[in-house]
Amino acid sequence: MKLTIKYFGLLAEVTKRNEEQLDFSGTLINELLDTIYLKYPKLKEIDFQVAQNNEIVSKETIITQTEIALLPPFAGG
Amino acid sequence: MTIKMKDKKPKNVFKEGAISSEFIATSIAKHQSKTSIGAHNIFLGQVRADSINNRTVSAIEYTAYEEMANAKFHEIREAAFNKFDLNCMHIYHSLGKVNVGEICMFVFVSSPRRKEVFKAIEFIVEAIKANVPVFGKEIFKDKTHQWKVNS
């Protein structure tokens, strides 16, 4: 499955990109994060949440969408 | 009975740069024809010149996961209309650079009665801060930066 991963804020700064395509053969968010951590080990030290289909999801969630976003702490308002 | 002006689809809440006082004044003026309104309440978020380790913030550069953010703003609007007796509600948030002293968020609620708008504005502002994926890069006067976290 080809996924689009979106990075925001500090995460975009660390990965030096706003988004990228990843080939992914797993099932869960957790497994996707392992793949991403291999590529960007520094992300392990950073606080972030994962969003799928415009909702924050847990790491045990099954991936059903082709776009996954990694969101650092919110700072709106 | 009040006619509630609900939107069916999420609308774009974001504006590029600071929200001007002219824009806010015009928004207020537009409500003069809505004569069932008896009370407005407005929240304005302003960029503060925080001092962190001897560095002073000169601006915040906002980015957002816009699709999710607009969906969340829409959910918050719907929840507020369900919870409170409101005639209308407007939410605007800046994207891009907003200098200290400038306005980065404008929330405007209107109701027949004052008690509703006091409760509604707090509910909406707190929900935005907690649930909407907006990110702020605090740019210091010395050009270094850090990423803001809502407290």
Side-chain angles (χ1 to χ4, degrees):
Chain A
M1 179 164 45
K2 234 189 184 38
L3 298 180
T4 302
I5 314 298
K6 291 190 167 237
Y7 302 99
F8 292 91
L10 178 58
L11 303 173
E13 201 171 281
V14 169
T15 61
K16 298 190 170 63
R17 63 201 70 221
N18 295 318
E19 65 173 71
E20 68 182 330
Q21 307 275 323
L22 277 188
D23 277 315
F24 178 66
S25 55
T27 312
L28 303 177
I29 297 287
N30 249 336
E31 300 167 72
L32 174 64
L33 290 181
D34 286 340
T35 308
I36 294 171
Y37 287 147
L38 278 179
K39 209 168 168 189
Y40 310 106
K42 267 189 95 174
L43 290 189
K44 283 186 202 167
E45 300 154 27
I46 297 172
D47 177 27
F48 66 89
Q49 295 180 289
V50 180
Q52 170 169 259
N53 201 16
N54 293 338
E55 294 294 340
I56 301 293
V57 292
S58 79
K59 290 176 180 159
E60 288 72 42
T61 305
I62 294 170
I63 296 173
T64 57
Q65 308 290 311
T66 55
E67 181 176 303
I68 302 291
L70 307 194
L71 309 175
F74 301 163
Chain B
M1 194 188 140
T2 310
I3 298 162
K4 295 189 177 182
M5 278 163 258
K6 278 197 189 185
D7 297 314
K8 292 282 174 279
K9 274 187 298 182
K11 57 180 178 181
N12 187 17
V13 162
F14 292 109
K15 291 181 74 69
E16 196 57 39
I19 298 164
S20 71
S21 42
E22 291 76 17
F23 180 83
I24 295 162
T26 304
S27 294
I28 298 167
K30 281 181 185 162
H31 290 73
Q32 287 170 357
S33 58
K34 299 177 182 173
T35 50
S36 59
I37 294 172
H40 297 297
N41 199 2
I42 286 173
F43 175 87
L44 299 174
Q46 175 167 306
V47 174
R48 187 175 55 227
D50 266 347
S51 264
I52 303 155
N53 300 331
N54 295 323
R55 296 180 299 171
T56 306
V57 172
S58 66
I60 295 180
E61 199 176 288
Y62 289 102
T63 51
Y65 184 18
E66 289 186 56
E67 183 195 321
M68 176 174 166
N70 279 316
K72 290 289 162 194
F73 278 123
H74 183 69
E75 277 177 34
I76 294 166
R77 283 176 63 83
E78 296 289 300
F81 272 122
N82 286 332
K83 269 176 106 75
F84 308 105
D85 180 20
L86 299 177
N87 294 74
C88 56
M89 174 185 341
H90 304 275
I91 305 172
Y92 299 96
H93 199 292
S94 294
L95 282 184
K97 195 173 162 196
V98 182
N99 294 319
V100 294
E102 292 181 328
I103 301 301
C104 57
M105 181 162 84
F106 171 31
V107 181
F108 185 7
V109 291
S110 310
S111 166
R113 311 236 157 244
R114 72 183 180 284
K115 285 188 179 171
E116 293 296 296
V117 295
F118 291 135
K119 288 184 286 183
I121 207 102
E122 183 170 16
F123 169 83
I124 295 163
V125 172
E126 294 304 321
I128 291 169
K129 289 196 176 256
N131 301 320
V132 179
V134 172
F135 315 102
K137 184 177 175 178
E138 292 179 310
I139 301 164
F140 298 104
K141 279 183 179 159
D142 65 5
K143 306 293 177 205
T144 59
H145 72 267
Q146 73 168 26
W147 291 91
K148 182 175 179 270
V149 176
N150 273 347
S151 48

